[in-house]
Amino acid sequence: MILALLIVSILLISCDDGGVEPVRFGKGEVPGSVPADFPVPPHGVIGATMVDTINHRTEFSVNVESDLLSLVQFFTIGLVNEGYVVDRSGSLGQTTWEIGFSRGELSGTILVSSDGGGLSQAVVSMNAT
């Protein structure tokens, strides 16, 4: 019995991550792991966010009153103006567009979709924690 308690105690201590949550979910603000100069539409509403420190991933969504191509143009120009490289950019259908970007070790994608009625959403995913 004492041996079992000792083993469990050792396992619990060795699994302690120092109080850091491996995955944090949020809503309403751009995660702090996103570079300060990353382009975010000024009138966009930040939706769901996720920071995964184990897999080095940050994701957030932003909803914008905009058509698809205007939002794609905003991100493309904004990324280039801030020193990011647009590695790929292309339509995935009538209502969806994907942009791949990088800058140094940072890389990611922006998946832009539109409801066709003037409301669009961008889901940004990058290797930042």
Side-chain angles (χ1 to χ4, degrees):
M1 178 72 170
I2 293 176
L3 181 60
L5 287 175
L6 182 60
I7 291 172
V8 170
S9 297
I10 291 170
L11 286 174
L12 288 175
I13 290 170
S14 66
C15 292
D16 183 17
D17 62 4
V20 176
E21 296 176 77
V23 179
R24 292 182 313 274
F25 295 97
K27 186 175 182 177
E29 60 185 45
V30 177
S33 54
V34 174
D37 63 355
F38 190 84
V40 177
H43 300 294
V45 176
I46 304 301
T49 67
M50 186 229 15
V51 177
D52 180 351
T53 58
I54 293 173
N55 296 305
H56 307 288
R57 299 296 309 161
T58 293
E59 291 185 3
F60 69 95
S61 66
V62 59
N63 299 304
V64 183
E65 253 185 72
S66 173
D67 62 275
L68 179 78
L69 292 180
S70 294
L71 190 54
V72 167
Q73 183 179 27
F74 168 85
F75 279 112
T76 303
I77 291 171
L79 287 166
V80 171
N81 284 344
E82 294 300 336
Y84 293 85
V85 174
V86 174
D87 299 313
R88 66 186 182 285
S89 181
S91 173
L92 301 178
Q94 288 185 319
T95 60
T96 310
W97 194 282
E98 185 178 49
I99 302 169
F101 64 90
S102 61
R103 182 173 72 181
E105 296 294 315
L106 181 73
S107 64
T109 60
I110 304 170
L111 185 62
V112 181
S113 58
S114 176
D115 69 357
L119 187 62
S120 295
Q121 180 182 59
V123 177
V124 179
S125 177
M126 62 181 68
N127 66 337
T129 53

